[in-house]
Amino acid sequence: MDTHNHPAQLPRRKRSARLTLAMMGTSAFGLTACVEPAPDEHVTEVSFDEPRSFQSVEECVAANVYTRSACEDAHAASLESVPRFDTLEACEAEHGEGACTAPNEEQAEATGGGGSWFMPAMMGYMMGSMLSNTNRGRSIERVYQEPVYRNRQNQGNWNAAANQATQRVNQRNEAMRSSVVQNRQATTRRGLGTRSASWGS
Amino acid sequence: MLRVDIPERRAWKTLANELGFHFHTIDGAPYWKEDAYYQFTLEQVEQDIESPTEALHEMCMELVDKVCHSNALMQRLAIPEFMWDTIHHSWKAGQPPLYGRMDFAYSGNGPAKLLELNYDTPTSLYEAGFFQWVWLEQAIEQGLLPRQADQYNSIQERLINAMAHLGDRLEGRTLYFSCVKGSDEERATVSYLQDIALQAGLNAPFIYTDDIGLQPGARHFVDLDHQPITAIFKLYPWEEMADDTFGRQLPLLDTHWFEPPWKAILSNKGILPLLWERFEGHPNLLPAFFEDDASAPLAAGWVRKPFFSREGSNISLITPSGEQQTVGGPYTDSPWIRQAYHSLPRFGDKHALVGSWVVGDRACGMGIREDVGRITKDTSCFIPHAIV
């Protein structure tokens, strides 16, 4: 069943390096793996810049937002997390006919080369950066990334598409709406969630 | 996969209480237990859990697409007709999901078998994503586990990334969070998600699901200050939403819901026979059939589940050797499925269930529940795991 072919490199770590709580509990909490904990540290502010999508390292560098090494790291990390397959058939079995490709030279190089493998065609990668201020005044900056490689993730702009759908529904219901007396304070509640039981699963 | 005894961390209950984990003990009975842990190898995690989870997730997405384009299948899943368009459009518009959990019977040998999907209102998130991670870090620090011990868990990190991406698409970077009144555990789970949203730079106000308001003529549901709710997370299932007093308003208003309406297709156990029908023989699937399917050929040993059941309620089973077990509950008014019986692995008198987490489209972590019975319930204990 397993067709993933991870390159023989560093041992893969399966857990996050650092986790923090921002607000839960009486004292917020932060820990970094394999480093002395800082029990009183908590994040006071986190800001993200808008993630941008790039097709290649060159395009990322040209955008003049990140350094070349950040672009390369994010690209390589994105590639790391793209599923790999030993054969084209195995990849297509999971991702659909014509959806898979062998890595190009840049992609092969970014992951240290070696072996032959296949992956779902990568449409690019998303990059953004995160800046955290803690109560100790330290800032932790890191770049986060996500590969963009599946057709489903490229269905276009979610809001634009959703607006079209709701527009259609709105038109259908315009007649109903215009007949309703507009009283903005006449709010009804207790119309959802009224079966107070436990729903978690 | 082994169950290994291990000393508890010093004063972990105090820490749990400080970290908002008040439901570590429920009605006097332990829920979180750390006098043992489940030990996995990296190969078991990657080959038997992570990789099949992503493959099954893709199969589920394929089925959602199929059901969205078929009124007959919508009907087969007992989804009310007034929701069909909404579900279809939420899928076609690419409304993003946040997370889900697959439950597996896995013993360490042979393929993990999918028992069910929890893709609409999954819980045990805080325990798996955060407290379990803290346990591992501290167990290493206190010398209870070797330094190279690891854990299959980037759940919280993935959620932060997913929320950060969502943030740009949300009006005012605002996502409301909601659950029904009366459950500490669910309120805590939602608090955790709010915490994650804050860390991702979102505004994350809370409103009880029961307090969500409807105004004549308004385009959105409203909060307690009559302000529009443009996007909201709900820990409350779609089938109940649709059945509620405001249910028929759901398709008419522009409020974005998380999970999106298309998750209604996956939160329904009818998806299990549909998966088997389309991918029959897949090593990670168990044979499953609609109960009203007269031709259903199930061998001795089966599990009977209602379409809509949570925490093991209304499930009954009979093993191939004739042992029976039933859990009662309120879910008696929906159709039923039958699934081939596949035993959970036993460690002493405990049966272990693997919950495999998906954030967006990626598998990213695992949580183990155990119970003396063969059916995992809301009282089943959470036990941490480690890769050693």
Side-chain angles (χ1 to χ4, degrees):
Chain A
M1 175 61 219
D2 177 65
T3 45
H4 287 193
N5 171 22
H6 295 278
Q9 293 180 344
L10 298 169
R12 297 175 294 278
R13 186 148 100 160
K14 304 298 288 183
R15 75 185 189 279
S16 300
R18 185 178 192 282
L19 291 188
T20 301
L21 289 181
M23 62 158 222
M24 272 188 98
T26 48
S27 61
F29 186 81
L31 251 187
T32 305
C34 303
V35 174
E36 279 300 298
D40 293 324
E41 182 183 340
H42 63 90
V43 173
T44 55
E45 192 195 337
V46 179
S47 55
F48 281 85
D49 67 3
E50 190 174 329
R52 305 177 53 163
S53 140
F54 301 107
Q55 306 282 316
S56 65
V57 169
E58 288 314 317
E59 191 184 308
C60 172
V61 173
N64 237 348
V65 182
Y66 302 101
T67 62
R68 174 171 287 276
S69 69
C71 288
E72 281 169 356
D73 289 351
H75 184 241
S78 291
L79 271 170
E80 272 305 304
S81 52
V82 171
R84 294 172 192 204
F85 300 87
D86 291 330
T87 65
L88 186 61
E89 293 69 36
C91 181
E92 289 191 333
E94 271 191 36
H95 293 276
E97 221 168 294
C100 295
T101 170
N104 63 30
E105 205 173 308
E106 185 187 34
Q107 291 164 337
E109 202 173 306
T111 51
S116 90
W117 45 277
F118 297 87
M119 62 183 208
M122 205 162 140
M123 315 295 287
Y125 61 109
M126 301 277 284
M127 245 178 110
S129 48
M130 177 176 138
L131 192 71
S132 319
N133 295 314
T134 71
N135 62 329
R136 299 183 162 190
R138 282 194 291 141
S139 284
I140 305 135
E141 192 169 6
R142 71 184 176 95
V143 171
Y144 62 88
Q145 50 69 34
E146 284 282 337
V148 181
Y149 62 92
R150 292 178 202 192
N151 291 335
R152 200 170 56 252
Q153 292 175 340
N154 290 282
Q155 284 176 328
N157 186 312
W158 163 48
N159 275 336
N163 286 342
Q164 279 170 14
T166 47
Q167 226 167 33
R168 200 184 52 79
V169 176
N170 285 348
Q171 280 163 5
R172 195 171 31 156
N173 294 291
E174 206 169 351
M176 179 208 88
R177 287 210 181 143
S178 58
S179 69
V180 173
V181 180
Q182 306 271 316
N183 177 356
R184 301 199 59 82
Q185 293 309 309
T187 303
T188 322
R189 301 192 193 276
R190 302 198 57 76
L192 288 175
T194 44
R195 288 134 213 264
S196 36
S198 194
W199 296 113
S201 53
Chain B
M1 184 185 180
L2 301 168
R3 190 179 191 278
V4 182
D5 289 335
I6 187 173
E8 299 185 7
R9 286 168 296 162
R10 296 180 289 275
W12 69 262
K13 284 186 185 171
T14 311
L15 179 70
N17 290 331
E18 279 172 8
L19 295 176
F21 188 19
H22 303 290
F23 58 103
H24 60 74
T25 306
I26 301 174
D27 297 333
Y31 167 64
W32 168 273
K33 287 187 73 176
E34 58 173 79
D35 55 357
Y37 72 95
Y38 281 95
Q39 190 184 85
F40 289 79
T41 66
L42 183 60
E43 289 66 34
Q44 285 174 333
V45 165
E46 293 194 330
Q47 293 174 17
D48 297 345
I49 304 295
E50 185 177 30
S51 170
T53 297
E54 295 205 343
L56 288 169
H57 177 79
E58 287 305 312
M59 287 154 57
C60 290
M61 296 301 116
E62 195 181 318
L63 257 192
V64 169
D65 192 63
K66 193 181 165 204
V67 174
C68 276
H69 289 90
S70 161
N71 290 349
L73 287 177
M74 289 273 200
Q75 198 147 34
R76 195 87 174 97
L77 293 179
I79 295 170
E81 193 170 345
F82 72 89
M83 288 298 293
W84 293 358
D85 262 8
T86 305
I87 290 172
H88 186 174
H89 284 287
S90 74
W91 173 249
K92 238 181 119 180
Q95 281 187 25
L98 200 54
Y99 73 140
R101 195 190 76 233
M102 292 181 192
D103 286 342
F104 287 118
Y106 175 66
S107 64
N109 294 306
K113 298 287 187 184
L114 178 70
L115 297 185
E116 63 179 66
L117 297 167
N118 301 280
Y119 262 48
D120 190 15
T121 58
T123 49
S124 78
L125 180 70
Y126 172 91
E127 308 83 289
F130 186 75
F131 205 69
Q132 175 175 234
W133 185 91
V134 173
W135 167 80
L136 184 89
E137 293 298 338
Q138 294 193 327
I140 293 173
E141 238 175 61
Q142 297 177 15
L144 308 174
L145 282 173
R147 287 210 80 79
Q148 77 276 9
D150 198 5
Q151 188 173 78
Y152 173 38
N153 186 4
S154 59
I155 301 168
Q156 176 172 326
E157 185 183 347
R158 285 270 163 201
L159 279 168
I160 291 176
N161 284 353
M163 292 241 200
H165 286 296
L166 286 184
D168 299 317
R169 299 161 147 192
L170 298 173
E171 223 171 294
R173 297 187 76 81
T174 299
L175 181 59
Y176 281 76
F177 285 82
S178 70
C179 66
V180 295
K181 294 174 183 173
S183 165
D184 290 347
E185 182 189 341
E186 294 190 4
R187 183 65 191 90
T189 301
V190 172
S191 290
Y192 179 53
L193 282 161
Q194 286 176 276
D195 198 300
I196 286 170
L198 287 180
Q199 295 188 54
L202 270 60
N203 304 308
F206 179 82
I207 183 169
Y208 280 111
T209 315
D210 338 21
D211 288 337
I212 293 171
L214 179 71
Q215 282 183 339
R219 285 174 52 223
H220 300 95
F221 287 103
V222 297
D223 66 14
L224 285 170
D225 298 320
H226 313 284
Q227 296 305 302
I229 297 173
T230 52
I232 183 167
F233 171 91
K234 54 160 193 72
L235 197 63
Y236 186 70
W238 272 109
E239 73 271 9
E240 298 297 340
M241 296 263 286
D243 220 22
D244 274 330
T245 317
F246 290 171
R248 300 228 164 220
Q249 306 298 318
L250 290 164
L252 309 180
L253 300 188
D254 293 348
T255 298
H256 275 298
W257 294 91
F258 290 87
E259 298 295 316
W262 58 262
K263 283 290 189 94
I265 294 169
L266 297 177
S267 72
N268 182 314
K269 291 191 178 55
I271 199 71
L272 296 166
L274 294 182
L275 275 169
W276 182 252
E277 199 175 287
R278 193 165 177 79
F279 304 100
E280 186 175 339
H282 189 284
N284 298 113
L285 292 177
L286 290 168
F289 303 93
F290 291 103
E291 192 167 66
D292 57 10
D293 181 354
S295 63
L298 267 184
W302 44 258
V303 185
R304 183 175 189 246
K305 304 176 177 181
F307 274 16
F308 308 113
S309 155
R310 286 153 216 278
E311 302 279 19
S313 294
N314 298 93
I315 287 175
S316 53
L317 62 77
I318 181 160
T319 68
S321 60
E323 278 182 74
Q324 296 185 34
Q325 195 183 343
T326 299
V327 173
Y331 306 99
T332 51
D333 56 353
S334 67
W336 302 77
I337 67 144
R338 282 183 199 234
Q339 185 182 47
Y341 178 76
H342 187 90
S343 63
L344 292 173
R346 258 182 89 155
F347 299 86
D349 62 345
K350 307 285 202 297
H351 298 86
L353 176 83
V354 171
S356 176
W357 288 93
V358 176
V359 172
D361 290 322
R362 302 298 308 277
C364 60
M366 188 165 69
I368 319 287
R369 305 279 301 274
E370 62 174 32
D371 200 290
V372 288
R374 296 171 191 274
I375 299 172
T376 307
K377 305 183 287 290
D378 55 352
T379 50
S380 305
C381 295
F382 190 103
I383 314 282
H385 81 271
I387 302 168
V388 180

